[in-house]
Amino acid sequence: GWPKFAAHLWMRTADGGVAATAYAPSSAHLTLSGIPVHIRCETGYPFSEELRFSVECEAPVRFPLWLRIPNWAGLGSVVRIGDAAPIRAMPGTFQRIERTWSGRVELTLTLPMAVRITRRYHGAVAVERGPLVYSLKIGEEWRHLRGELPHADWEVHPTTPWNYGLVIDPENPDVEVVKGKVGEVVYGPDHAPIHIKIKGRRIPEWTMEKNQAGPLPKSPVKSSEPIEELTLIPYGCAKLRITEFPLVDS
């Protein structure tokens, strides 16, 4: 999947321009109207709200640059080019920027990443921020079953509680977003570049069945367990995943 993703970050458009169809640190070398053009994107996306682009041309050339504005970004998305007035971008569209590009031009796209609470199966809730959905951070014990390392079969067992419901107002979520740095290792529970702190209670009747989490209780659920502060990490960073949580009756 990764080579296909990288190969399709940038695409030519029917109007002679180029479009950023997905976002990641990347660069594209292409020729537009006979002029070599180098486009670069530097970003911590999908963890960071800011994407910094540079467009370098060997000679002045006019073409449109299309930037994808995800629907989740809301109405606060803006494109800034130097000291010019910010361009307000409409979510769920591509922002078209047509101009004569000359030398090196730098622009910044800001995509606000508000925390959203979405409803799921049995009235459960999931926590999303920007393009990512978040899962409970669970301690892991890895047991080697069979096969030669590193291409072997493993079991992963939880070492910390997982059966939580969330104590939250879905319309006005009280959460804390803790931002870190994107390091060499990203998709692991101990290296997640971003965390969300949220309140929850244990649901004792929600137990393991057949070596996995049992059926999701219908929300709202009642619990007299103490309120705890939970840590959520991006879904891709978790190997054991509780992502849809019962909603605790307040």
Side-chain angles (χ1 to χ4, degrees):
W2 287 113
K4 291 183 179 180
F5 174 70
H8 292 82
L9 293 173
W10 297 92
M11 289 186 166
R12 294 181 183 272
T13 58
D15 57 2
V18 61
T21 57
Y23 293 128
S26 60
S27 61
H29 300 266
L30 63 161
T31 300
L32 298 172
S33 299
I35 304 299
V37 177
H38 177 209
I39 304 176
R40 184 177 182 86
C41 176
E42 296 180 344
T43 183
Y45 187 94
F47 313 105
S48 170
E49 299 177 322
E50 187 174 271
L51 299 104
R52 300 175 304 280
F53 299 90
S54 64
V55 180
E56 294 186 74
C57 309
E58 292 190 6
V61 58
R62 187 173 186 85
F63 65 88
L65 174 66
W66 297 75
L67 301 178
R68 185 174 63 87
I69 312 300
N71 197 55
W72 51 256
L75 298 176
S77 303
V78 294
V79 179
R80 292 180 171 85
I81 306 175
D83 296 329
I87 302 171
R88 298 289 175 181
M90 183 63 63
T93 68
F94 277 79
Q95 179 63 47
R96 187 176 190 270
I97 304 168
E98 182 171 9
R99 56 176 286 160
T100 298
W101 305 86
S102 179
R104 177 185 173 93
V105 178
E106 296 185 349
L107 58 153
T108 302
L109 170 62
T110 302
L111 300 172
M113 295 184 180
V115 172
R116 310 182 305 283
I117 307 298
T118 58
R119 289 285 186 169
R120 301 295 180 91
Y121 178 68
H122 273 185
V125 292
V127 180
E128 301 178 21
R129 177 183 179 270
L132 301 181
V133 64
Y134 283 72
S135 301
L136 180 68
K137 185 177 183 181
I138 301 173
E140 301 171 358
E141 178 192 354
W142 289 68
R143 301 178 187 174
H144 180 203
L145 291 182
R146 65 184 72 84
E148 296 181 8
L149 299 178
H151 43 82
D153 294 335
W154 299 80
E155 283 184 346
V156 190
H157 294 256
T159 61
T160 55
W162 55 267
N163 53 342
Y164 287 98
L166 297 187
V167 179
I168 195 168
D169 177 1
E171 303 303 322
N172 186 29
D174 180 18
V175 303
E176 178 187 359
V177 177
V178 182
K179 300 178 182 179
K181 293 183 178 181
V182 179
E184 291 297 320
V185 178
V186 177
Y187 292 106
D190 296 326
H191 305 280
I194 201 154
H195 300 76
I196 292 179
K197 300 291 187 179
I198 198 167
K199 299 288 194 301
R201 294 181 190 266
R202 293 279 300 275
I203 311 296
E205 62 271 21
W206 189 18
T207 59
M208 295 274 285
E209 293 187 17
K210 298 180 181 179
N211 294 321
Q212 61 184 357
L216 185 69
K218 289 186 178 180
S219 295
V221 298
K222 294 188 181 295
S223 174
S224 58
E225 298 295 310
I227 291 180
E228 300 180 45
E229 184 180 69
L230 309 179
T231 298
L232 307 185
I233 58 178
Y235 179 93
C237 297
K239 301 300 180 281
L240 296 172
R241 293 166 176 154
I242 297 295
T243 309
E244 299 182 353
F245 299 85
L247 189 62
V248 175
D249 189 343
S250 59

